[in-house]
Amino acid sequence: MTTPVPVRTPLPASLAGATALLIGGSSGIGLAAGTLLRSVGARVVLLGRDAEKLKAAAEHVRAAAPGGEDDVLTVAGDAGDERTLDEAFERAGQVQHVYLTAGGISGAGPLADLPPDDIRATLADGLWRPFAAARAAATRLPAGGSLTFSSGILVTRPMPAMTAPLAVAGGVEILTRALAVELAAARVRVNAIRYGRIDTPLLRLLPGLDSDEGVAAAGQSAPLGRVGTAQEAAAAALFCMANGYVTGQVITVDGGESLA
C-alpha cells in the first residue's frame, strides 16, 4: 500500500529548508516567488534565458534573507530544453517544489490573419514547456512535492484575437488536472494558478501599460480598483507548495476581475 502524502503545517513557514525550482524566475511573478521563498528560509533555484538578468535576480533574492551562496542558484537556458531542466535538478540536488511561470504573449491576432507557422509555434512552445517541466519533475520530486503552473483568467472570459494563446492556457489547466491524477500515486501534487492582471514587466509590454500611470488607470476598472502586485500573485504559489492537501486545482488570483 502506498504511503499517504506527508502531513505538515500548511503555512509558508513549513517551506523553510525546502528547495524550489522557479522556471522563469528572473523577473515578474517568478522573481517575486523567489524573494518570498527566501524570506521563509527556502532554498531557491532560478532558471531563465538571460544570464545577466538571472545574476541580478539572484542578488535581489539573496537580499531577502541572509544565507550562503548555495541558497540561491541560477541556471541559464530555455525552459523547454530538457537538458537545461536536467542541469537545474542536478545542480540543486533534492528539489521539493517546481513553479513554472516562464512564457510570454505570442500568437495574438485574428485567427484568419495569423501565419500558420506562428500558430504552430505558439501551441508547440506554450504546451511543451509545462510538459517538459512535468517530465523532469515526475521522477525527481519526493512524496509531498509539488508542481505548479500558471494560467490566466481569459481562459474563462475569452477576448477576440486571443485564440491561440488561450488554447495554450486552457491546455495547461487540463494538463494540471491530468497530471494530478497521474502523479498522485507518487504523492506529488499538481496545481495551476489562474492570474488576472498583475503588474509585471510582461504586463507593461502591452499598449498603454508601459507607465505607472497607465497601469493605475487600467486597474480602476477592477473591483478592487487596481491591478495585483507580483508578490500578491506569487503568494498563491507558496500556498500551493505549502498546503499538502491541495492538488488538481486551478486557483484564481485576479482581484475579482473575473466577476466584473
Side-chain angles (χ1 to χ4, degrees), residues 34-42 58-68 71-72:
T35 302
L36 291 178
L37 284 162
R38 274 303 298 146
S39 73
V40 297
E59 292 305 312
H60 181 78
V61 172
R62 288 189 182 102
D71 288 328
V72 182

Side-chain angles (χ1 to χ4, degrees), residues 169-187:
V172 169
E173 294 191 2
I174 296 297
L175 176 64
T176 296
R177 294 184 176 94
L179 284 172
V181 172
E182 181 169 339
L183 300 183
R187 303 309 188 219

Side-chain angles (χ1 to χ4, degrees), residues 23-163:
I23 304 172
S26 62
S27 66
I29 300 172
L31 176 57
T35 302
L36 291 178
L37 284 162
R38 274 303 298 146
S39 73
V40 297
R43 185 166 167 263
V44 175
V45 183
L46 306 175
L47 190 155
R49 290 182 178 180
D50 190 317
E52 288 304 311
K53 284 180 65 176
L54 277 174
K55 182 179 179 180
E59 292 305 312
H60 181 78
V61 172
R62 288 189 182 102
E69 287 294 310
D70 192 50
D71 288 328
V72 182
L73 302 175
T74 63
V75 176
D78 191 306
D81 184 349
E82 291 189 293
R83 292 171 299 183
T84 299
L85 292 168
D86 288 343
E87 178 187 350
F89 276 97
E90 288 167 8
R91 287 200 60 199
Q94 179 65 69
V95 172
Q96 284 77 30
H97 305 285
V98 177
Y99 178 37
L100 173 63
T101 64
I105 301 174
S106 62
L111 186 62
D113 297 339
L114 286 172
D117 286 348
D118 287 0
I119 298 174
R120 292 190 190 97
T122 296
L123 297 177
D125 292 345
L127 284 175
W128 170 244
R129 289 191 185 98
F131 266 101
R135 280 168 54 84
T139 58
R140 292 180 169 99
L141 292 180
S146 74
L147 176 59
T148 306
F149 298 124
S150 296
S151 177
I153 62 170
L154 291 183
V155 168
T156 60
R157 300 184 63 183
M159 293 176 57
M162 291 291 288
T163 302

